[in-house]
Amino acid sequence: MILLPSPPIVSFPANPNLLLVSPPSSPPRRRSSAVVSAASRDVDSFTSKSGYLFSLSADEADSLSEYSFSRISEIYKKKPLILLRRLVQIGTTFGFWFGLRLADEALDRSEQMFKVRAAELRKLLVELGPAYVKIAQAVSSRPDLIPPTYLDELSLLQDQITPFSTEVAFNMIEDELGLPIDELFSEISPEPVAAASLGQVYQARLRRTGKVVAVKVQRPGVRAAIALDTLILRYIARLVKKAGRFNSDLEAVVDEWATSLFKEMDYLKEAQNGIKFRKLYGSIKDVLVPKMYTEYSSSKVLVMEWVEGQKLAEVNDLYLVEVGVYCSFNQLLEYGFYHADPHPGNFLRTYDGQLAYLDFGMMGDFRPELRDGFMEACIHLVNRDFKALAKDFVTLGLLPPTAEKSAVTKALTDVFQDAISRGVRNISFGDLLGDLGKTMYQFKFRIPPYFSLVIRSLAVLEGIAIGISPNYKVLGSTYPWIARKVLTDSSPQLKSSLQSLLYEEGVFRIDRLESLITESLRTETALVQKHVEGTDSKIVMKQMLAFTFTEQGSFVREILVQEFAKGLDALGLATLDSLASTTTPFSGSRPFASLTEEDMTNLRTFYRLISLFSGMRKDENVSTQVKAVSKYGEAHMPLDNASLVMYQLPSAQEMLPILSILPELPQESQQQLLQLPGDLVGRLMSRAFARTIRRIFL
């Protein structure tokens, strides 16, 4: 559904943007929608070409309130002629169009007829009905996949489909709500302001409250048409799977899509979805979710708050695109309740600069274990941990547990290595899926039913963004939020994954922690605030410390304290080694405190941690110049090398910026800081005691 600015005023002088007329005062006529449709002079193309599908009995129509393949199959087994007629209609419609395209190629006139064929395809899809319009809507959101001419034509399917008769619509409102229309509304537009595949929208004013509302009325016959078309698509999916030897359960994918589509046709369910969506996401900065009026709604009529604005795709507002992307990832990964039909017609930029969500019929539910698995996959992908990524694909249901993990890891490395090397901000979600195609077939990847809606949602979002900014990357924009979620989430699965990511074969990967923390801090500005050029280092330090010393950062803080203790311990040993080398320069004996390779690694990590939290630029030479001593009896570490890391450590003066911001931290962070010295001392004593015991007895 899309709400557009209304045509010129007929009445309602209080707001010149609205087109409203008073409803007729004569008693409403009580006629069924089918009778009205037959009697109406204004027959839309869908009814004209596919109206024979509407011939279901009242019991049959009522039994299709929810999607049930067995029930649909049972109904149309008794109607073989209608099924045959529909198959012939679909076959001849697409066959004729493809025949014209081939003729254009043969006559070398493809370029001249390109726009004509695009317009013809749009009209054919409308005539075939909502199922095909819905598929085309998803395609129309990908400007990187289809030619501009087809994009322009298919975009009209989002809200500019030929409306059905207003007389039919008004009678349906009265029949569904049980009151004359003039008792419900003091004013209502005489014609729909927008028409989509499943229904059309009128603008009205509630008589009781005076509120301006949108009234969505379901298109007659859509349930019967979609039921038969999903039956046909399911049989086609079965044939394609057998013929193409697909690993995915294509029938289950169709079932998942059809289930969502049937839910979308229940307007009471949509109202409940809208209420839940408003509760979960309505408080996000610059996000507007309209109010639902359930007391004026039924399964075929929905009344909601009127929202005015422009299509997001028609305004050059990259900030609101990022708000939408952030909100969508919040839906997918925070609560799991997400908008599964985010085509451009369902987003408005309001006149006060907010992003308005519309149409809550098609929603999805992302289970917690799948949300965690998705975030793990993103983190492992960006950090080039392809072995862990292969395991993530098993968790997500994309790979069978019996798949050969080593071979999959090698294939994933070959597929993604180049893409990842360009940096997270340059990773295209669409390109990743395209690169993965061959590997998916080779290793018997499966597409779980839930995954099709999630992928469609993300692909459409990236398509909208690309339409405004061709270089926009959804994954690059949302990775900071994913990084922050992984660092702060209380999920045992994510904590275990973070632990494994940061400790590779027992070695702490400080570079990965740096990347995660640095990226996570971008959430403060990149996703929910207007962009600000440049970032003051003191602000970054404050954000980092405030994040670390909070309840949310407790898991990361535990890791940091442990690594700081190791670093301080190594620093003490390096100091002793330095003193010993100075006082006994010609001694051939091994100093008691001689540094091991592990100690040098801990010392380098300590330096990088100090650099990270103090805003200093780390010297990469520290990581490459320092030599380690790993075995007793080998050459001692030279004094120059032993002093190199120590020399690079910040002085007391360089640490003053950190000390100056400590009083500015939140009270919770300050309380956690007070506990830090005691914690560090305890860990240092424990390490010193353990080392002494080892050197005495081993």
Side-chain angles (χ1 to χ4, degrees):
M1 182 188 73
I2 178 70
L3 304 179
L4 300 174
S6 301
I9 183 171
V10 169
S11 67
F12 202 14
N15 188 340
N17 290 321
L18 304 181
L19 167 63
L20 301 174
V21 297
S22 298
S25 58
S26 57
R29 288 163 292 177
R30 299 295 180 183
R31 294 186 289 171
S32 70
S33 297
V35 174
V36 173
S37 179
S40 175
R41 291 174 298 174
D42 302 322
V43 179
D44 61 283
S45 58
F46 168 56
T47 303
S48 175
K49 299 292 185 179
S50 304
Y52 64 91
L53 299 174
F54 304 174
S55 57
L56 295 181
S57 67
D59 289 341
E60 288 172 335
D62 291 342
S63 68
L64 294 178
S65 58
E66 295 181 351
Y67 173 71
S68 169
F69 171 73
S70 59
R71 178 57 182 149
I72 295 171
S73 180
E74 181 183 340
I75 290 174
Y76 285 102
K77 278 181 180 178
K78 302 174 183 177
K79 302 176 184 292
L81 294 180
I82 291 180
L83 175 59
L84 179 62
R85 183 176 174 180
R86 187 60 168 174
L87 288 171
V88 171
Q89 181 188 9
I90 294 170
T92 55
T93 297
F94 285 118
F96 180 73
W97 184 81
F98 279 111
L100 291 175
R101 289 284 290 127
L102 291 174
D104 292 339
E105 292 282 349
L107 298 173
D108 198 22
R109 61 179 189 184
S110 296
E111 189 173 340
Q112 298 93 314
M113 299 300 292
F114 204 68
K115 188 172 183 179
V116 174
R117 299 299 176 231
E120 289 175 348
L121 178 61
R122 174 180 58 81
K123 293 175 182 177
L124 294 177
L125 292 170
V126 172
E127 291 174 1
L128 287 175
Y132 300 93
V133 171
K134 282 290 182 184
I135 295 172
Q137 282 177 346
V139 175
S140 71
S141 301
R142 297 295 309 195
D144 53 332
L145 299 180
I146 62 174
T149 302
Y150 279 81
L151 178 68
D152 293 340
E153 287 294 334
L154 296 182
S155 295
L156 298 177
L157 296 174
Q158 293 164 8
D159 52 60
Q160 298 183 39
I161 295 177
T162 306
F164 61 94
S165 166
T166 290
E167 184 181 13
V168 174
F170 283 6
N171 278 330
M172 184 178 292
I173 292 173
E174 293 178 343
D175 290 340
E176 289 292 314
L177 302 184
L179 287 173
I181 201 166
D182 58 334
E183 292 185 19
L184 295 166
F185 311 110
S186 58
E187 296 166 306
I188 190 168
S189 56
E191 297 296 334
V193 295
S197 56
L198 299 183
Q200 58 196 38
V201 178
Y202 295 85
Q203 192 180 53
R205 182 183 289 275
L206 293 175
R207 180 169 292 280
R208 186 190 304 173
T209 64
K211 297 288 186 181
V212 179
V213 294
V215 183
K216 185 161 76 168
V217 187
Q218 192 169 106
R219 189 179 291 272
V222 292
R223 195 175 295 272
I226 289 176
L228 180 54
D229 286 337
T230 53
L231 179 70
I232 293 171
L233 288 172
R234 201 176 188 278
Y235 279 123
I236 292 174
R238 181 183 299 176
L239 294 174
V240 169
K241 181 180 179 181
K242 289 181 178 179
R245 297 181 180 179
F246 284 87
N247 306 308
S248 301
D249 189 348
L250 298 183
E251 292 171 272
V253 171
V254 173
D255 286 339
E256 182 82 6
W257 175 72
T259 299
S260 297
L261 202 50
F262 268 76
K263 289 179 180 178
E264 190 175 1
M265 289 185 286
D266 184 349
Y267 287 176
L268 269 181
K269 178 66 175 176
E270 179 176 349
Q272 295 300 324
N273 289 339
I275 292 170
K276 182 177 180 179
F277 195 90
R278 180 184 173 98
K279 179 180 178 181
L280 293 178
Y281 314 114
S283 60
I284 294 176
K285 181 179 172 61
D286 291 326
V287 169
L288 173 65
V289 182
K291 179 182 178 181
M292 302 290 158
Y293 293 89
T294 54
E295 66 272 28
Y296 293 100
S297 301
S298 72
S299 62
K300 296 181 180 179
V301 176
L302 174 63
V303 176
M304 60 191 292
E305 177 186 355
W306 176 262
V307 180
E308 289 192 14
Q310 298 170 276
K311 283 185 186 179
L312 181 60
E314 294 176 353
V315 293
N316 188 18
D317 194 334
L318 187 59
Y319 165 68
L320 279 190
V321 170
E322 290 205 335
V323 169
V325 171
Y326 167 71
C327 183
S328 295
F329 265 74
N330 205 300
Q331 297 164 40
L332 284 169
L333 304 181
E334 186 68 37
Y335 297 103
F337 183 69
Y338 66 96
H339 199 298
D341 191 23
H343 67 72
N346 287 334
F347 293 110
L348 285 186
R349 183 191 186 278
T350 64
Y351 294 128
D352 61 353
Q354 290 184 293
L355 177 67
Y357 276 80
L358 305 173
D359 197 344
F360 305 97
M362 187 177 288
M363 309 297 290
D365 188 21
F366 210 19
R367 300 197 310 273
E369 64 272 20
L370 297 177
R371 300 202 297 265
D372 290 349
F374 186 87
M375 284 187 279
E376 288 174 320
C378 290
I379 294 294
H380 291 146
L381 174 65
V382 172
N383 286 278
R384 300 179 176 85
D385 191 347
F386 299 113
K387 182 178 180 180
L389 184 62
K391 295 179 181 178
D392 296 334
F393 284 171
V394 174
T395 301
L396 291 170
L398 295 169
L399 271 176
T402 55
E404 181 58 47
K405 304 296 190 306
S406 59
V408 173
T409 299
K410 183 180 183 304
L412 293 176
T413 303
D414 294 340
V415 169
F416 291 138
Q417 190 67 50
D418 290 341
I420 302 303
S421 64
R422 295 193 293 269
V424 63
R425 293 179 183 84
N426 297 310
I427 298 174
S428 167
F429 182 77
D431 290 347
L432 286 180
L433 290 178
D435 294 341
L436 192 59
K438 184 178 179 180
T439 304
M440 292 179 71
Y441 186 82
Q442 179 184 355
F443 291 98
K444 301 184 182 302
F445 272 59
R446 301 173 295 191
I447 303 298
Y450 79 88
F451 203 67
S452 59
L453 288 180
V454 173
I455 293 300
R456 177 179 180 273
S457 177
L458 295 177
V460 168
L461 279 169
E462 187 165 74
I464 295 172
I466 289 172
I468 295 175
S469 176
N471 295 321
Y472 189 86
K473 304 293 185 289
V474 163
L475 184 58
S477 178
T478 54
Y479 181 71
W481 188 86
I482 295 175
R484 190 176 186 88
K485 179 75 173 172
V486 170
L487 288 172
T488 61
D489 200 90
S490 60
S491 162
Q493 182 178 336
L494 285 182
K495 285 184 177 180
S496 174
S497 180
L498 178 61
Q499 185 84 16
S500 300
L501 180 73
L502 296 181
Y503 289 92
E504 188 174 49
E505 297 181 354
V507 178
F508 181 59
R509 292 292 302 271
I510 176 64
D511 56 321
R512 290 179 173 177
L513 181 63
E514 281 180 305
S515 173
L516 285 170
I517 292 180
T518 303
E519 287 292 337
S520 71
L521 292 178
R522 290 179 57 218
T523 59
E524 301 295 329
T525 56
L527 295 176
V528 295
Q529 297 178 357
K530 308 266 184 183
H531 291 296
V532 179
E533 294 297 328
T535 305
D536 185 86
S537 60
K538 186 174 179 180
I539 295 176
V540 172
M541 283 189 285
K542 183 177 178 180
Q543 291 175 344
M544 201 171 298
L545 288 171
F547 159 72
T548 306
F549 291 97
T550 59
E551 184 62 33
Q552 277 191 324
S554 60
F555 186 70
V556 174
R557 183 172 65 252
E558 177 68 20
I559 292 174
L560 288 172
V561 170
Q562 177 177 304
E563 294 304 320
F564 265 112
K566 290 179 181 178
L568 286 171
D569 183 46
L571 181 61
L573 293 176
T575 303
L576 290 176
D577 262 8
S578 178
L579 292 173
S581 299
T582 303
T583 56
T584 57
F586 302 106
S587 174
S589 62
R590 171 181 173 265
F592 182 75
S594 183
L595 292 178
T596 65
E597 183 177 355
E598 179 185 353
D599 293 327
M600 283 305 303
T601 300
N602 292 337
L603 190 57
R604 288 193 295 269
T605 298
F606 180 67
Y607 165 72
R608 292 183 67 171
L609 285 173
I610 292 292
S611 301
L612 177 65
F613 281 88
S614 65
M616 295 170 52
R617 290 183 60 188
K618 59 181 180 290
D619 186 350
E620 295 299 333
N621 290 332
V622 173
S623 299
T624 57
Q625 293 180 12
V626 178
K627 298 178 182 178
V629 178
S630 57
K631 292 183 180 179
Y632 178 82
E634 289 185 350
H636 297 166
M637 182 179 62
L639 177 60
D640 289 343
N641 286 342
S643 303
L644 181 59
V645 177
M646 296 170 61
Y647 176 77
Q648 294 288 339
L649 292 174
S651 64
Q653 185 176 359
E654 290 172 323
M655 294 295 291
L656 284 177
I658 297 182
L659 299 177
S660 68
I661 64 174
L662 295 183
E664 302 175 15
L665 295 176
Q667 189 66 31
E668 178 189 0
S669 299
Q670 293 187 30
Q671 291 176 352
Q672 293 289 345
L673 270 169
L674 292 175
Q675 301 174 20
L676 182 61
D679 195 0
L680 282 173
V681 169
R683 291 172 187 262
L684 283 170
M685 291 179 64
S686 176
R687 289 184 63 84
F689 180 75
R691 182 172 53 254
T692 302
I693 295 298
R694 282 199 307 271
R695 294 194 174 186
I696 291 175
F697 294 103
L698 296 180

